[in-house]
Every structure is written in C-alpha cells, then in structure tokens.
C-alpha cells in the first residue's frame, strides 16, 4: 500500500509547504549553496512592476500560459485555427484546445540557443519557447498528433505511441545545422504520454483516448459551474506522474518532478522530498482558458504556485535576492537532481509568493485581479528574460545552467 504522505506530494499545497521549508533552512544559514537577501525583493518588485506596466499599460494582463506563445510575432494563430473550426459545440472546442495545449507544453523544455523555426505561413523565424509553440501548433494543424487523417485537429494515444524522434524532428525543422536540445527526450515524453492515455480510459474517453477527455472527466465535478484550479493539477498528476523519464520514484510510486533536499526532515517516507511539478503546473495554467471557453469558472488560482524555472529563478539571482555562496559559471551545467538546483528551484517558488503582494502594491491591484498566474505573465518571466539579456548579452542565458534532457526547464 502506498504511504499516504507520498500521495500527498501530488498537490500544490505540498509544493508550497516544502519550498517554504527550504527557504526557512536557507534563511537560518544552513545552506552551503545560497543565502537569501530579503531586502532585495523590493528592487525585484520595482523591476517586475516596471516591466508589467511597459508591456500592459492598461494592466489588462492575461494568464501566463502557452496561449501567449501561439501569438508570437503578433500573429494570432489560434484565432485563425479556431475560425476554421466553425460552429462546434463548446465542449469539443475545449477538447481541441486541451489536446493542443497538452502536447505543446510537454514539448516546451529549453530549446537551446542554436535552434530556429521558420514559419512558412508567415515567413517569420521564431526561437526558444515561442518557436516551440509555433512549431507544435503547425504540427497539430497538419495532423501530426492524430492517428485519423479525417480528424487532424486532435491528439490521440495511438499517434503519440507511434511518434518517432525523426518524425518530430522533421516537423520541428531539426538538422545538423539547426539542432534542438533533447529531441529524443521530447519524443520519448510524448510516447509515454500516449501510453498513459491508453492506460486511463476512465479519464480520457474510452475509444479516442485524447488528452481533451480531461474536460469530460472534470466538467461534471464542477459545482455551480465552478472548478478549482487545483482539481485540474491533481488530475494531471494522477494521470501523468508516470510519464517523466527522469521522474523520481519511491516505493514503486512515480512522483514526477520531485527533488531531494536535506532541509526536509519529516519522520516518514517523504523525508527529503521537495515536489515542484513545474511542467504540470505550467500545463494547468495553460488549461485555464480551454475550460473557461466551455463556460466553466476556474476558482482559487493562487492555490497553484509560481513556476520554478530558469527565467523566474534567474531574475531572483540576477537582482540579488538569491545569492550563491560561491561564484557560479553560467556556462557550467548542473544536474537538475543536484541539491543546489533543487534548492534554487524551491527558493524560486517560495520567493515568488513573497514577491506577489509588493508587486500588487506597486501596480495598485488586488490579489483577486492579479493572481500569480498574471504576475508570472506580466511579469516575472519576461523580467527574467530581459535582465538576463542585459547581464549576459546577446543570448541572455540564465545565471545558473541546468543540464536539460528535453523534459525539464
């Protein structure tokens, strides 16, 4: 029988609690890796507010989600694709949106500095996260994730299970001169997604086995048309913790994006474990709009946490809130499982919580109008990219590099 304390790690509450325990450990001076300068959060808040006002002068800020990247270069690709759908029922529109968001998010690990995607439809060349988004949307549009040529705009288990890295590489224009970091890992992740879909017909509509079946599983649980954000995340973790090739496993239970840190000293089987569920939370943020498009209200957004990835974490290092105890070479890559990286990620989650109210104060917004999902977008992710470009031009890599395998940020 699986210990309940391990199952409890599949929640945003566990992510938040354990990351704050790591912060307490660092603030107490026990870390050999980092110190935290709480006074520097004021400067970080100033910078984030400045970036947010520059990008969103009216403070009409959308969620931090994959849907922003589909509009790279000012081209609203989803709107054009949606127009082709015509008059379909809201539930099917939600399924299609969930299908697209699922594969696109899972393909959205760091692309590397050398990769480019040239979009034939617009002539634009896009890179990094935006390039991966555009490439995945165009592959989706072409039916690259569907096993049924008559229904191109869907993702299904048979197509994912059969997807080869070479095929993915063709759609993503990968060549010797245009390498994409972790191509094999990305294909493996989608293969595992396909097998996870096939293993859970209860969640993913017996027969089609689409990610979009998540809508049919969760919509009936909404009370008076209201669905808590954490319910989406917990369903994703229930179904997909098994797909991470490098995910942690304890007592036979696949935990997914969970690291180890000595700050966690609880007297049970979860000792030393710090959950992050970064891609799963990024996916949850990216599924808010599909569920809302079907008429559901998503509640309790701040039950989710900030995202422990290198733009948010890099912002905190570059502006002096997280201070390495020893000089860090931004060209030296560190294993994502190393305690230093686990600590950096945990501090990022905890300090984003502490940053939220000061940023709201500077913008004159309340928490209800400016949840973490909007601060990330407004926001910390963009600020992290911009400060990196000024500190380490021209590419702007993060101040601490992670050895990426195509499945983590």
């Amino acid at each position: 029988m699986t210990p309940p304390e391990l199952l409890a790690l599949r929640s945003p509450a566990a992510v938040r609690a354990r990351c704050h325990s790591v912060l307490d450990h660092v603030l107490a001076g026990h870390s050999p890796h980092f110190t935290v300068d709480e006074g520097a959060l004021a400067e970080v808040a100033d910078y984030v507010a400045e970036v947010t006002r520059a990008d969103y002068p009216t403070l009409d800020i959308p969620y931090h989600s994959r849907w922003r990247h589909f509009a790279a270069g000012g081209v609203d690709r989803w709107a054009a694709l949606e127009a082709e759908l015509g008059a379909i029922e809201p539930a099917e529109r939600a399924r299609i949106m969930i299908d697209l968001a699922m594969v696109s998010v899972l393909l959205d690990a760091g692309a590397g500095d050398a990769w480019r995607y040239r979009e034939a439809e617009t002539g634009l060349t896009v890179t990094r996260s935006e390039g991966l988004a555009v490439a995945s949307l165009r592959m989706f549009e072409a039916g690259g994730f569907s096993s049924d040529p008559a229904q191109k705009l869907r993702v299904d288990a048979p197509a994912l299970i059969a997807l080869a890295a070479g095929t993915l590489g063709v759609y993503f224009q990968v060549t010797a001169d245009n390498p994409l970091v972790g191509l094999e890992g990305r294909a493996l992740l989608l293969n595992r997604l396909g097998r996870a879909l096939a293993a859970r017909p209860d969640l993913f509509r017996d027969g089609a086995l689409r990610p979009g079946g998540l809508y049919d599983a969760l919509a009936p649980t909404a009370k008076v048309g209201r669905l808590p954000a954490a319910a989406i995340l917990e369903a994703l973790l229930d179904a997909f913790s098994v797909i991470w090739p490098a995910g942690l496993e304890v007592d036979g239970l696949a935990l997914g994006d969970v690291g180890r840190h000595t700050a966690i000293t609880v007297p049970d089987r979860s000792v030393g474990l710090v959950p992050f569920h970064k891609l799963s939370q990024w996916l949850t943020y990216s599924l808010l709009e599909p569920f809302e498009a079907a008429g559901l209200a998503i509640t309790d957004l701040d039950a989710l946490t900030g995202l422990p990835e290198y733009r948010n974490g890099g912002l905190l290092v570059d502006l002096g809130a997280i201070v390495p105890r020893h000089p860090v070479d931004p060209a030296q890559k560190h294993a994502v499982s190393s305690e230093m990286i686990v600590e950096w990620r945990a501090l990022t989650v905890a300090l984003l919580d502490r940053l939220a109210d000061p940023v709201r104060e500077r913008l004159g917004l309340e928490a209800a109008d400016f949840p973490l999902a909007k601060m990330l977008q407004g926001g910390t992710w963009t600020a992290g990219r911009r400060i990196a470009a000024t500190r380490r031009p021209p590419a702007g890599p993060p101040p601490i590099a992670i050895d990426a395998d195509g499945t983590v940020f």
Side-chain angles (χ1 to χ4, degrees):
M1 181 177 175
T2 301
E5 61 267 21
L6 294 181
L7 291 173
L9 297 177
R10 293 177 172 176
S11 72
V15 175
R16 177 166 277 117
R18 300 246 164 153
C19 288
H20 278 272
S21 292
V22 173
L23 173 61
D24 291 342
H25 173 86
V26 175
L27 288 173
H30 299 318
S31 170
H33 310 295
F34 298 103
T35 61
V36 168
D37 181 356
E38 294 178 278
L41 286 177
E43 182 184 351
V44 180
D46 287 341
Y47 187 66
V48 171
E50 176 187 327
V51 168
T52 301
R53 285 193 182 279
D55 283 5
Y56 300 96
T58 66
L59 298 183
D60 183 16
I61 304 160
Y63 298 136
H64 183 61
S65 83
R66 197 57 163 157
W67 300 96
R68 310 289 78 78
H69 295 160
F70 293 141
V75 179
D76 195 340
R77 296 167 184 84
W78 167 248
L81 187 56
E82 188 176 29
E84 295 178 17
L85 298 176
I88 62 171
E89 61 168 333
E92 180 58 16
R93 177 177 280 100
R95 293 182 198 110
I96 291 170
M97 293 177 74
I98 292 169
D99 281 355
L100 171 58
M102 182 82 73
V103 290
S104 189
V105 166
L106 294 185
L107 288 166
D108 189 33
D113 294 334
W115 180 77
R116 304 285 185 272
Y117 181 81
R118 187 181 186 281
E119 186 179 32
E121 292 82 357
T122 64
L124 293 173
T125 296
V126 278
T127 64
R128 301 194 178 187
S129 201
E130 290 88 347
L132 294 168
V134 173
S136 61
L137 182 143
R138 294 306 182 190
M139 183 173 173
F140 176 78
E141 188 177 39
F145 301 107
S146 173
S147 63
D148 184 352
Q151 298 185 63
K152 290 184 175 182
L153 298 183
R154 79 173 194 182
V155 175
D156 60 53
L160 293 175
I161 291 170
L163 183 64
T167 302
L168 186 64
V170 170
Y171 278 106
F172 279 64
Q173 302 174 357
V174 176
T175 65
D177 296 326
N178 191 37
L180 175 62
V181 169
L183 178 63
E184 293 282 347
R186 293 170 205 272
L188 176 62
L189 188 58
L190 292 183
N191 298 154
R192 287 173 173 249
L193 171 63
R195 289 192 285 273
L197 291 168
R200 295 295 302 271
D202 58 318
L203 278 178
F204 300 108
R205 300 185 72 204
D206 198 3
L209 295 173
R210 299 168 54 184
L214 195 66
Y215 172 81
D216 301 272
L218 291 181
T221 70
K223 296 180 179 178
V224 199
R226 296 166 65 83
L227 182 68
I232 302 174
L233 175 61
E234 287 165 14
L236 292 172
L237 294 175
D238 175 36
F240 298 135
S241 288
V242 297
I243 75 174
W244 308 111
L248 191 65
E249 186 173 305
V250 176
D251 292 349
L253 180 68
L255 297 177
D257 182 15
V258 176
R260 294 187 181 275
H261 196 284
T262 53
I264 307 302
T265 58
V266 294
D268 58 43
R269 291 295 294 146
S270 70
V271 63
L273 300 182
V274 183
F276 297 110
H277 308 309
K278 189 268 164 189
L279 274 176
S280 297
Q281 292 207 76
W282 171 231
L283 179 54
T284 302
Y285 283 130
S286 298
L287 295 186
L288 301 179
E289 285 151 279
F291 279 97
E292 289 179 346
L296 292 175
I298 307 301
T299 63
D300 303 318
L301 286 179
D302 274 349
L304 304 177
T305 75
L307 301 181
E309 50 83 39
Y310 69 77
R311 289 305 180 200
N312 293 322
L315 171 71
L316 293 163
V317 172
D318 279 336
L319 291 182
I322 297 175
V323 184
R325 284 191 178 273
H326 308 286
V328 176
D329 179 357
Q332 181 187 350
K333 293 184 177 180
H334 302 268
V336 72
S337 60
S338 68
E339 185 174 91
M340 185 184 84
I341 298 301
V342 170
E343 184 167 297
W344 181 36
R345 298 180 80 200
L347 292 175
T348 298
V349 170
L351 291 176
L352 286 172
D353 276 347
R354 294 201 176 187
L355 190 63
D357 280 341
V359 173
R360 289 167 183 148
E361 208 173 281
R362 285 157 174 76
L363 295 175
L365 296 172
E366 299 295 326
D369 302 315
F370 193 66
L372 282 172
K374 294 189 176 184
M375 185 179 80
L376 296 172
Q377 177 61 27
T380 55
W381 189 89
T382 303
R385 174 183 275 187
R386 289 185 187 171
I387 194 69
T390 65
R391 298 291 174 91
R392 292 168 295 281
I400 303 171
I402 295 176
D403 189 12
D405 68 351
T407 65
V408 296
F409 270 51

